Amino acid sequence: MTEPRRAALYVDFDNVFAGLAAIDEWAAWNFATHPARWLNWLAEAAPGGPRRLLVRRCYLNPAGWSEPDPGGDLATWLGRPRLYYSRFRPDFVRAGFSVVDCPRLARLKNAADIVMALDILDALAHPTRFEEMVILSGDSDFTPLLHRLREHDRRILVIAPDSATAALRAAADRTIPLTDFATACLPPAEAEADTAPDAGSGPGSGPAPMQEPAATAGDAVADPVEPSAQRDAILDALRRLVAASATPLHLPALGKRIHHELGGWVRRSRFGGAGTLARLIEGTEDLVLEAGPGGGWLYDPRRHAPPSFSQPDLPPDPEPEPGAPPELRAALGEGLDLPPLGAEALEFLLRHLARLLPLPGPPGAEARAALLAEAEAAGFDLPARAVDQLVQWLVRARVDWQPAAAPEDSAARLARALYAELTRQAAAAGTRLPPATLAALRGWVGLAPARPAEEP
């Protein structure tokens, strides 16, 4: 039996997440929410193993974010255009990582790479002689660092995209392509058709573990592998769908049908290297893409009339997402992840939360899932994470869940705590909320208007 190699692991989170998202958004999601899965793979099954990962460090910009594909399943489930990296921090902590926050120091640059390089160099003098350095990053700036590690007789394993420079790959003892790592991040084939996620924990910890949708768990059509053949297969499927339709097809729904008909390789290949479905369609003579809400409509000019925004059968423009007053969002910034709840939905959830009191602590996953189900049964169309976000804000406000008062009194107490925490966060951000914004905030959380101050 081979003795496990003593190894130290360093993860450039922003770099790896962005690289995986370009290959498969669900691989990026599973990388961030299930680090234990690929840690086991690195320790036991990855080339060069087995190894003991004695040091596990993750370098993350808490204000960093990614934009999922607007027409993809991940963006649809999240219910918002941005995915902030701060929500994944607890997942890495629970997996035994030391998470090093690396906020942005300039407009487009954080210090993750230099902090990571300094920590790796410090590890050379550690009392434990690490035999192998495992680096998850495709940043070519690490090339001189790898040369220094080789001078100290340390083995180097780098996980980087295929586009990584030849110099970086040559400086490592072994390089694992990011596409292979993406496969290790995804759940086993038998688990890919798992059920939808439970309520999970608060917004700071990220959504509950979620598997790739069943529609993409197994490829309905074999992956042609070659990008040109992949593009031809996708275009053939598009032509079949358009030919079978009497009207133009809305692009987001069309993208989902393509994934369902052909399989997960469509997403993994990023539409045969085209990047997006719209780019793939560009230049085809028998298919025309008409711009419009949600990405537009695809039609055959020989059979269909050009789509018009006045057509009654086309979906209307999406309504703006309800939530906190815009002035408050501007004051606090996007990173605080305010609950996307309208005033009526917020009042409903606070009232039903109050009915659960007294509790030994914040409502657990089962209680939050039940609250969401009650809200949906009452006719509120809420994002899956809305209740989690609200509970997390009440936790920040240090709400006492023990008192058993009348539900109306408890609901008002929760509303006051939420109002106080939001104004505290605004003050911490250096923003003085004007009276109009405070009045809008009180109305949103369900508090009566403040009484005007008496004249002096």
Side-chain angles (χ1 to χ4, degrees):
M1 183 175 179
T2 305
E3 183 71 20
R5 183 179 294 122
R6 295 187 298 275
L9 170 64
Y10 302 89
V11 180
D12 185 348
F13 181 92
D14 300 32
N15 184 288
V16 176
F17 189 95
L20 287 172
I23 299 169
D24 184 347
E25 288 182 339
W26 292 110
W29 177 266
N30 279 276
F31 157 75
T33 56
H34 291 79
R37 180 182 296 139
W38 52 264
L39 273 175
N40 290 336
W41 174 80
L42 269 179
E44 304 294 339
R51 53 179 62 86
R52 293 181 63 204
L53 300 171
L54 301 176
V55 172
R56 303 173 183 179
R57 286 195 184 151
C58 174
Y59 302 81
L60 177 148
N61 175 12
W65 50 269
S66 174
E67 289 187 348
D69 179 6
D73 294 327
L74 180 58
T76 302
W77 183 79
L78 287 170
R80 63 176 59 87
R82 287 185 179 181
L83 183 60
Y84 284 90
Y85 297 155
S86 57
R87 71 191 306 162
F88 302 119
R89 195 181 195 280
D91 295 295
F92 276 77
V93 172
R94 285 191 291 268
F97 276 86
S98 297
V99 179
V100 182
D101 289 335
C102 299
R104 187 175 293 173
L105 301 180
R107 183 171 178 270
L108 296 175
K109 186 69 172 173
N110 64 32
D113 49 359
I114 188 65
V115 175
M116 188 168 159
L118 290 172
D119 284 352
I120 293 173
L121 287 177
D122 286 346
L124 292 175
H126 196 280
T128 299
R129 189 183 189 281
F130 302 111
E131 301 168 283
E132 183 180 40
M133 303 296 187
V134 182
I135 299 173
L136 270 68
S137 177
D139 195 333
S140 60
D141 292 348
F142 285 114
T143 304
L145 172 66
L146 302 192
H147 290 313
R148 183 64 59 87
L149 293 176
R150 289 176 67 88
E151 292 174 7
H152 284 263
D153 190 24
R154 307 301 166 95
R155 295 187 64 84
I156 306 165
L157 171 63
V158 174
I159 298 178
D162 295 336
S163 59
T165 62
L168 179 72
R169 287 185 272 112
D173 293 289
R174 189 184 297 269
T175 303
I176 297 178
L178 200 60
T179 49
D180 293 351
F181 181 67
T183 303
C185 292
L186 289 168
E190 60 271 19
E192 289 187 354
D194 204 355
T195 56
D198 59 18
S201 52
S205 64
M210 184 174 182
Q211 311 298 343
E212 190 172 351
T216 60
D219 292 346
V221 175
D223 183 357
V225 181
E226 289 296 326
S228 59
Q230 290 172 335
R231 292 192 292 271
D232 289 342
I234 298 170
L235 286 172
D236 287 344
L238 287 175
R239 292 185 179 100
R240 287 197 307 272
L241 292 171
V242 170
S245 175
T247 60
L249 296 174
H250 198 213
L251 197 65
L254 189 59
K256 291 181 181 179
R257 291 179 65 179
I258 288 294
H259 289 308
H260 180 79
E261 287 206 0
L262 300 182
W265 63 264
V266 175
R267 185 187 296 114
R268 292 192 295 270
S269 70
R270 292 186 62 79
F271 298 97
T276 65
L277 188 57
R279 289 178 188 162
L280 175 63
I281 297 167
E282 289 177 1
T284 55
E285 297 180 358
D286 53 342
L287 296 175
V288 175
L289 181 63
E290 182 79 13
W297 295 272
L298 187 68
Y299 68 101
D300 183 347
R302 300 169 300 184
R303 298 180 54 251
H304 301 137
S308 166
F309 294 124
S310 62
Q311 285 181 285
D313 56 335
L314 294 180
D317 290 342
E319 296 181 0
E321 184 181 84
E327 306 95 320
L328 182 66
R329 290 183 177 277
L332 297 182
E334 293 290 338
L336 287 178
D337 207 13
L338 293 175
L341 297 167
E344 290 186 18
L346 180 57
E347 186 272 337
F348 179 92
L349 291 176
L350 289 176
R351 183 157 37 87
H352 282 69
L353 268 172
R355 291 178 180 174
L356 299 177
L357 301 179
L359 290 170
E366 187 174 341
R368 294 196 300 269
L371 280 171
L372 182 62
E374 287 184 22
E376 291 176 344
F380 294 103
D381 184 16
L382 304 182
R385 304 295 299 173
V387 178
D388 296 341
Q389 292 169 325
L390 175 59
V391 170
Q392 185 66 20
W393 272 98
L394 294 173
V395 170
R396 285 187 187 137
R398 296 181 176 84
V399 164
D400 185 0
W401 304 93
Q402 298 287 343
E408 295 76 15
D409 297 336
S410 297
R413 181 169 62 86
L414 296 178
R416 288 193 296 270
L418 180 60
Y419 174 85
E421 181 61 23
L422 289 167
T423 53
R424 272 198 296 269
Q425 290 290 344
T431 302
R432 182 181 177 87
L433 298 179
T437 302
L438 290 173
L441 174 57
R442 292 184 71 89
W444 180 55
V445 301
L447 295 177
R451 285 179 288 184
E454 295 182 0
E455 291 293 333

